[in-house]
């Protein structure tokens, strides 16, 4: 049984901290937790909440309904009352967040000492412990008995996956300008820069960020920069430069709903085409889309691999839902190893010969353009050696659901036990030539995307001539991720 | 090492008589002298150049050093990134006035603030020359061309005052004359930190009225004290970039302070070891 807990309150009341320690504790007790975060663009006030879904087997999404609601303010109950399941428990009052941690621990039948251990990691230990103890003794129900067995599963975000992948791939310098939801990567990398002996720099804008990243890359450093859609737009000219000068470069692009400022603290997948096409001119690039923290680490390492081996820009396409949600992960990522291949020489943004000297004759331009075309082909061949897509679920099903990125979690949960398989596309660019055959094997192709115009369906049409009917496009574009129960119904309706 | 050793085989495409030839010769002289001294960390491979887009950018084609001919307006963050990548490099950035004062203005202010230890040379002919003569932010009032037939209406920007206000530790302006440039570049090489060197030059095709040598005078000969910020500010006020007669040239202000590379322990370590990140094994 999926157990759904929502913890809500004003920004500043600490629903997020409470959710994180609760999730951590439950994972350590051998359960699986998926925890996502919903917050507005405010520092104090507003309404923020975290949704935790708990299960005895792997879980990767939340439900639209709530079993336990922790309301740190009155507004929380008002906003969520229509989502409550029958017999839902509501914990509310005017106490501080850790009081409710105590009550939840009792309610979930967990040992108090786990909470005490968690509180040791936070500031104001004595105050928090007092609150938590009072909550524990005030709670009289013990509704659920979560078992207590040791687990080595990790509880981490997509952001942490990217950070792990980058550090283990030998990252030297990371540049960024603050922009939600890419900033958490700076939060991961910056505090440990001395320990890891890397540079983490915030510069005056995204143009400076990518230009400095390229400047470092051409001296031989392993260089990376991060941003979200608006900042990525500013980087476009330099992305094109990285293409012509052949600089290794890894770009972390964490999407949020656009266009323009859009909805800064919510999630969406509207930048697939921007990642594929941004930057003028024609040049090879890599675009990968992880769907969980382990894939985030693995694909980040593959971006370093490709960027160094082929001296090219590589883009990790994430979004707010993947970047900021906590996933219970089993096992460790399998990371690609990469060398440092670039060196200081003559680089030229002007069309140039092998020595970096500018050229303008027809023959020389043809030679340079065709060299890039051949390189793109070599990149595609090399990419086929990696897992460019995954097939999950019932392998011989005639129903195939195709998607990319953070929708993975809800789809995996929704197709459990269904006559459906799920093709998760990890490599957006280049696009695997094997995808066409996989799609043609199926009779019913369904696309799931967190956007309004289904760019993946468009890409599939371009690359494979497989046409996805409009009624088979399951799209959500309200800034929220897919919920398990709602998506399950949408899929059931389309399965033949 | 002679200046000729820094030449390339690329045919020159500047207009005959262009003052950029003076700048090219002076830069090659100054760099060749640095390398010829044979000091550690000053071999040819330790130097790198960065150019933007415009007539000045052909410097990249004619100076045989590593580096990058980069985008319009983005010379400064590129130089910064190279210094972060390897703080031991001797990096020289070149820009035109369009590059430095229009497209890349935001980087200029921050470069002064960062004080990364590289040198920045601006070829200021007060016009967009390679795009056939449009006004830039430092073109004088009244200048007219096909894009601005009614004439420039706005007061030009004063880059010297801007750099002083932004905290630059080395602020100089010279005329496009071999001796003046060579001298100020040698001084800039000795200076620890960001050095701003503006070279005023006429564009003989599109802006022949802009700063001629006869219209300049030497700050040094006039007894200017380059460590006096207030005096530098007053001198900077003497030329407002409209057509003028008495243009002060030389080093307006010089004061050393902690460089960008001094402020991060990670970069200090690289400096101590004489390496860049490329040679850091993980």
């Amino acid at each position: 049984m999926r157990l759904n807990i929502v913890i809500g309150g004003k920004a500043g009341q600490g629903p997020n901290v409470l959710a994180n320690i609760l999730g951590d504790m439950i994972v350590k007790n051998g359960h699986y937790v998926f925890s996502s975060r919903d917050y507005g663009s405010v520092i104090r006030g507003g309404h923020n909440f975290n949704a935790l879904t708990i299960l005895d087997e792997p879980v990767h999404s939340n439900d639209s309904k709530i079993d336990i609601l922790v309301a740190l303010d009155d507004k929380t109950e008002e906003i969520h009352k229509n989502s409550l399941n029958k017999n839902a428990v509501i914990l509310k009052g005017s106490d501080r967040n850790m009081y409710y941690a105590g009550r939840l621990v009792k309610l979930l039948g967990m040992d108090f000492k786990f909470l005490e251990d968690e509180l040791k990691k936070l500031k104001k230990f004595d105050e928090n412990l007092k609150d938590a103890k009072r909550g524990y003794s005030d709670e009289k129900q013990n509704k659920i008995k979560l078992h207590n067995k040791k687990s080595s599963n990790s509880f981490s975000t997509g952001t942490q996956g990217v950070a792990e992948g980058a550090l283990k791939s030998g990252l030297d310098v990371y540049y960024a300008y603050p922009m939600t939801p890419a900033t958490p990567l700076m939060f991961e990398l910056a505090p440990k820069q001395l320990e890891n002996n890397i540079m983490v720099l915030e510069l005056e804008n995204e143009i400076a960020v990518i230009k400095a990243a390229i400047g470092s890359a051409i001296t031989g450093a392993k260089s990376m920069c991060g941003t979200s859609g608006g900042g990525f737009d500013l980087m476009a000219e330099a992305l094109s430069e990285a293409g012509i000068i052949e600089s290794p470069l890894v770009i972390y692009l964490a999407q949020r709903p656009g266009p323009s400022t859009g909805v800064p603290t919510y999630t969406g997948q509207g930048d697939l085409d921007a990642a594929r096409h941004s930057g003028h001119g024609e040049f090879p690039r890599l675009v990968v889309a992880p769907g969980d923290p382990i894939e985030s680490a693995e694909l980040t390492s593959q971006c370093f691999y490709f960027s160094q081996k082929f001296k090219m820009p590589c883009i990790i396409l994430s979004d707010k839902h993947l970047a900021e949600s906590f996933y219970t992960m089993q096992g460790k990522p399998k990371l690609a190893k990469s060398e440092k291949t670039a060196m200081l020489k003559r680089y030229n943004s002007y069309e140039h010969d092998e020595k970096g000297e500018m050229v303008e004759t027809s023959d020389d331009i043809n030679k340079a353009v065709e060299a890039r075309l051949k390189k793109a082909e070599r990149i595609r061949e090399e990419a086929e050696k990696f897992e460019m897509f995954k097939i999950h679920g019932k392998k011989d099903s005639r129903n195939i659901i195709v998607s990319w990125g953070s929708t993975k979690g809800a789809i995996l949960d929704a197709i459990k036990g269904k006559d459906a398989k799920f093709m998760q596309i990890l490599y957006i660019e280049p696009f695997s030539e094997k995808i066409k055959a996989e799609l043609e094997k199926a009779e019913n192709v369904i696309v799931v995307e967190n956007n309004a115009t289904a760019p993946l369906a468009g890409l599939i049409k371009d690359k494979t001539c497989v046409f996805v009917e409009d009624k088979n496009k399951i799209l959500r574009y309200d800034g929220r991720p897919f919920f398990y129960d709602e998506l399950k119904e949408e899929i059931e309706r389309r399965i033949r | 090492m002679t200046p000729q050793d820094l030449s390339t085989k690329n045919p020159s495409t500047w207009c005959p008589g262009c003052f950029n030839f003076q700048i090219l010769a002076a830069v090659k002289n100054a760099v060749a002298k640095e390398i010829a001294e044979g000091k550690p960390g000053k071999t040819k491979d330790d130097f790198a150049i960065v150019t933007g887009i415009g007539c000045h950018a052909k410097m990249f084609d004619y100076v045989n050093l590593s580096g990058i001919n980069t985008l319009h307006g983005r010379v400064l963050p590129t130089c910064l990134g190279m210094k972060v990548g390897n703080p031991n490099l001797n990096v020289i950035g070149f820009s035109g006035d369009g590059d430095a004062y229009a497209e890349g203005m935001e980087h200029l202010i921050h470069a002064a603030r960062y004080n990364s230890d590289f040198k920045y040379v601006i070829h200021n002919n007060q016009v967009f020359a390679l795009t056939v003569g449009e006004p830039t932010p430092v073109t004088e009032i009244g200048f007219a061309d096909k894009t601005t037939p009614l004439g420039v209406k706005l007061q030009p920007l004063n880059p010297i005052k801007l750099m002083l206000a932004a905290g630059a530790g080395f602020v100089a302006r010279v005329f496009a004359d071999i001796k003046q440039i060579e001298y100020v570049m040698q001084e800039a090489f000795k200076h620890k930190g960001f050095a701003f060197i503006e070279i005023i030059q006429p564009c003989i095709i599109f802006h022949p009225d802009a700063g001629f040598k006869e219209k300049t005078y030497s700050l040094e000969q006039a007894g200017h004290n380059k460590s006096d910020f207030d005096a530098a500010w007053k001198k900077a006020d003497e030329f407002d970039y409209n057509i003028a007669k008495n243009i002060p040239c030389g080093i307006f202000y010089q004061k050393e302070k902690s460089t960008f590379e001094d402020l991060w322990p990670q970069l200090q370590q690289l400096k101590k070891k004489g390496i860049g990140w490329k040679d850091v094994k993980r």
Side-chain angles (χ1 to χ4, degrees):
Chain A
M1 257 292 281
R2 295 166 67 103
L3 176 70
N4 294 287
I5 304 175
V6 164
I7 301 166
K10 292 182 183 69
Q13 283 190 311
N16 193 45
V17 183
L18 172 52
N20 291 350
I21 66 163
L22 186 70
D24 213 29
M25 249 186 316
I26 299 169
V27 170
K28 278 187 191 140
N29 272 283
H31 296 268
Y32 292 82
V33 178
F34 177 79
S35 174
S36 73
R37 190 178 172 211
D38 186 303
Y39 61 100
S41 198
V42 291
I43 303 302
R44 289 287 181 268
H47 173 67
N48 290 0
F49 68 92
N50 292 61
L52 293 89
T53 300
I54 305 164
L55 196 64
D56 266 343
E57 50 185 278
V59 62
H60 318 89
S61 58
N62 297 127
D63 295 48
S64 63
K65 299 286 183 232
I66 301 168
D67 301 302
I68 300 172
L69 178 66
V70 179
L72 297 175
D73 65 351
D74 296 339
K75 213 160 122 200
T76 298
E77 193 183 359
E78 182 58 33
I79 288 171
H80 295 279
K81 65 180 181 203
N82 293 332
S83 306
L84 294 172
N85 272 325
K86 242 193 243 167
N87 305 323
V89 177
I90 302 172
L91 305 181
K92 61 175 177 174
S94 52
D95 295 276
R96 284 191 293 256
N97 57 355
M98 289 310 153
Y99 168 81
Y100 297 99
R103 288 189 66 178
L104 282 165
V105 164
K106 174 73 88 49
L107 192 65
L108 298 173
M110 286 191 296
D111 198 327
F112 188 82
K113 78 170 166 37
F114 288 104
L115 178 56
E116 197 172 332
D117 288 345
E118 290 291 331
L119 294 180
K120 281 177 191 157
K121 298 179 196 163
L122 303 176
K123 288 176 197 157
K124 297 185 187 167
F125 173 73
D126 293 338
E127 189 183 303
N128 282 334
L129 185 68
K130 213 171 123 192
D131 285 348
K133 274 186 176 161
R134 193 162 51 82
Y136 191 80
S137 73
D138 283 0
E139 182 57 51
K140 301 300 174 211
Q141 308 179 69
N142 176 204
K143 228 183 162 203
I144 307 116
K145 257 239 156 331
L146 289 184
H147 59 63
N148 173 9
K149 65 177 182 196
K150 278 207 164 166
S151 163
S152 59
N153 289 342
S154 60
F155 190 51
S156 60
T157 63
T159 302
Q160 289 169 331
V162 173
E164 182 188 356
L167 288 172
K168 289 189 174 161
S169 299
L171 174 74
D172 293 312
V173 287
Y174 181 73
Y175 296 94
Y177 181 89
M179 188 167 187
T180 306
T183 312
L185 184 55
M186 237 196 311
F187 296 156
E188 281 297 318
L189 295 171
K192 291 180 185 165
Q193 57 184 309
L194 292 181
E195 190 182 313
N196 291 313
N197 190 29
I198 60 167
M199 283 294 286
V200 179
L201 285 172
E202 186 186 303
L203 298 181
E204 63 267 26
N205 58 30
E206 286 87 349
I207 298 174
V209 159
I210 188 169
K211 277 307 301 152
I214 291 172
S216 296
I218 63 172
T219 69
K222 278 193 178 170
S223 185
M224 178 174 178
C225 59
T227 187
S228 187
F232 185 65
D233 289 348
L234 290 178
M235 293 182 176
E237 188 189 18
L239 174 65
S240 166
E241 183 191 47
I244 197 167
I245 71 166
E246 302 192 77
S247 165
L249 181 65
V250 178
I251 303 172
Y252 172 59
L253 170 53
Q255 302 165 96
R256 66 193 214 187
S260 193
T261 308
V263 203
T265 60
Y266 283 85
T267 200
Q269 295 182 311
D271 301 341
L272 185 104
D273 285 337
R276 286 183 63 225
H277 298 300
S278 184
H280 61 290
E282 300 159 303
F283 59 93
R285 75 181 78 194
L286 198 83
V287 181
V288 294
D292 63 39
I294 285 190
E295 286 172 2
S296 296
E298 291 178 342
L299 288 171
T300 299
S301 79
Q302 289 168 32
C303 279
F304 277 95
Y305 174 85
F306 276 92
S307 73
Q308 291 292 332
K309 186 175 171 91
F310 293 97
K311 301 189 176 72
M312 64 185 291
C314 296
I315 299 165
I316 306 155
L317 192 51
S318 181
D319 60 29
K320 183 257 169 186
H321 187 55
L322 171 59
E324 299 201 37
S325 297
F326 279 85
Y327 296 71
T328 310
M329 300 304 302
Q330 299 163 281
K332 290 213 152 51
K334 294 181 189 71
L335 302 177
K337 282 199 177 115
S338 54
E339 305 298 322
K340 286 179 191 175
T341 61
M343 56 182 283
L344 189 60
K345 55 174 190 174
R346 283 172 67 78
Y347 290 91
N348 208 333
S349 72
Y350 215 104
E351 192 61 278
H352 53 268
D353 63 17
E354 297 90 342
K355 289 179 180 160
E357 305 304 337
M358 63 90 96
V359 296
E360 282 183 332
T361 68
S362 164
D363 281 352
D364 286 334
I365 296 168
N366 278 334
K367 217 171 135 187
V369 172
E370 283 153 21
R372 283 194 288 276
L373 291 175
K374 275 184 202 142
K375 179 169 149 175
E377 189 49 32
R378 290 204 316 278
I379 292 162
R380 206 196 51 72
E381 281 166 16
E382 186 74 15
E384 293 284 3
K385 295 177 189 166
F386 290 82
E387 195 169 30
M388 294 177 79
F389 61 91
K390 288 179 179 174
I391 305 282
H392 308 272
K394 197 166 164 259
K395 301 269 158 45
D396 59 351
S397 176
R398 56 195 184 142
N399 297 299
I400 188 165
I401 293 152
V402 194
S403 195
W404 60 284
S406 74
T407 52
K408 175 188 183 179
I411 299 170
L412 280 186
D413 289 357
I415 63 165
K416 224 178 269 176
K418 300 270 174 298
D419 180 15
K421 62 181 160 187
F422 164 35
M423 176 192 267
Q424 182 200 358
I425 300 188
L426 297 170
Y427 277 62
I428 304 294
E429 179 72 42
F431 199 72
S432 173
E433 290 196 337
K434 293 172 188 149
I435 289 172
K436 185 178 166 74
E438 282 292 332
L439 291 175
E440 283 170 350
K441 266 196 278 179
E443 287 169 33
N444 186 25
V445 183
I446 300 161
V447 158
V448 176
E449 294 188 66
N450 221 169
N451 54 44
T453 57
L456 180 68
L459 177 61
I460 287 170
K461 190 175 71 181
D462 279 0
K463 298 282 184 178
T464 68
C465 297
V466 171
F467 187 78
V468 182
E469 296 167 84
D470 278 349
K471 66 177 173 62
N472 264 4
K473 291 174 185 165
I474 304 174
L475 306 174
R476 178 163 198 164
Y477 40 83
D478 60 352
R480 271 70 181 171
F482 283 101
F483 289 119
Y484 154 77
D485 48 338
E486 292 173 355
L487 182 62
K488 195 172 73 167
E489 275 176 32
E490 293 284 346
I491 289 173
E492 275 165 356
R493 220 177 292 148
R494 290 168 174 88
I495 284 178
R496 285 183 212 146
Chain B
M1 171 62 62
T2 68
Q4 284 69 45
D5 297 327
L6 294 172
S7 298
T8 66
K9 288 176 184 155
N10 295 318
S12 178
T13 56
W14 281 322
C15 306
C18 178
F19 281 80
N20 279 326
F21 287 107
Q22 305 267 329
I23 302 176
L24 174 64
V27 166
K28 287 202 303 198
N29 285 350
V31 173
K33 261 186 202 158
E34 284 285 294
I35 297 170
E37 280 181 21
K39 284 189 189 148
K42 291 277 172 85
T43 70
K44 189 172 172 233
D45 290 343
D46 298 315
F47 281 82
I49 53 169
V50 181
T51 57
I53 297 298
C55 286
H56 84 274
K58 293 169 190 276
M59 289 289 284
F60 185 83
D61 300 336
Y62 313 140
V63 178
N64 189 16
L65 288 172
S66 290
I68 175 168
N69 176 26
T70 188
L71 305 173
H72 187 52
R74 312 303 167 201
V75 168
L76 289 166
T78 312
C79 291
L80 178 72
M82 289 168 75
K83 289 293 290 184
V84 170
N86 184 352
N88 300 290
L89 284 174
N90 303 288
V91 179
I92 313 163
F94 298 89
S95 280
D97 44 315
D99 222 69
Y101 308 142
E103 191 86 16
M105 173 54 92
E106 76 271 36
H107 307 306
L108 181 57
I109 295 164
H110 291 282
R113 192 169 68 91
Y114 296 153
N115 198 34
S116 175
D117 187 14
F118 65 84
K119 315 305 157 195
Y120 189 38
V121 177
I122 294 108
H123 299 221
N124 184 5
N125 54 15
Q126 298 181 258
V127 75
F128 286 112
L130 198 53
T131 49
V132 298
E134 304 80 9
T136 74
V138 285
T139 306
E140 73 276 8
I141 291 173
F143 176 93
D145 81 309
K146 276 192 281 185
T147 67
T148 316
L150 305 182
V152 168
K153 306 283 187 199
L154 300 171
Q155 176 63 34
L157 176 91
N158 184 332
I160 301 293
K161 283 173 79 175
L162 177 78
M163 284 293 91
L164 289 171
F170 187 104
V171 181
R173 175 169 65 213
V174 293
F175 179 73
D177 164 86
I178 294 189
K179 279 193 183 145
Q180 284 191 32
I181 300 166
E182 219 182 300
Y183 167 73
V184 82
M185 284 208 66
Q186 282 168 351
E187 293 302 304
F189 283 139
K190 281 186 240 162
H191 177 82
K192 208 165 72 93
F194 177 69
F196 172 90
I197 305 164
E198 184 188 65
I199 304 173
I200 49 170
Q201 57 177 131
C203 168
I204 55 172
I205 306 295
F206 296 112
H207 207 186
D209 301 336
F212 262 104
K213 192 177 179 180
E214 294 72 30
K215 298 177 182 171
T216 67
Y217 74 91
S218 160
L219 281 169
E220 204 182 3
Q221 282 168 19
H224 171 64
N225 176 6
K226 64 185 180 184
S227 64
D228 182 342
F229 184 88
D230 293 338
W233 189 263
K234 272 185 200 151
K235 285 290 169 195
D237 241 349
E238 284 182 13
F239 175 48
D240 69 356
Y241 289 76
N242 286 303
I243 301 294
K245 273 185 185 141
N246 290 310
I247 303 172
C249 280
I251 301 168
F252 283 76
Y253 184 65
Q254 187 175 5
K255 189 185 181 183
E256 284 193 356
K257 51 187 176 176
S258 293
T259 68
F260 192 88
E261 294 74 26
D262 290 334
L263 297 174
W264 271 265
Q266 303 97 303
L267 296 180
Q268 276 180 323
Q269 279 219 350
L270 294 180
K271 277 191 84 171
K272 232 181 255 170
K273 292 178 185 162
I275 59 171
W277 291 107
K278 183 174 175 53
D279 297 313
V280 173
K281 301 274 179 289
R282 294 186 185 276

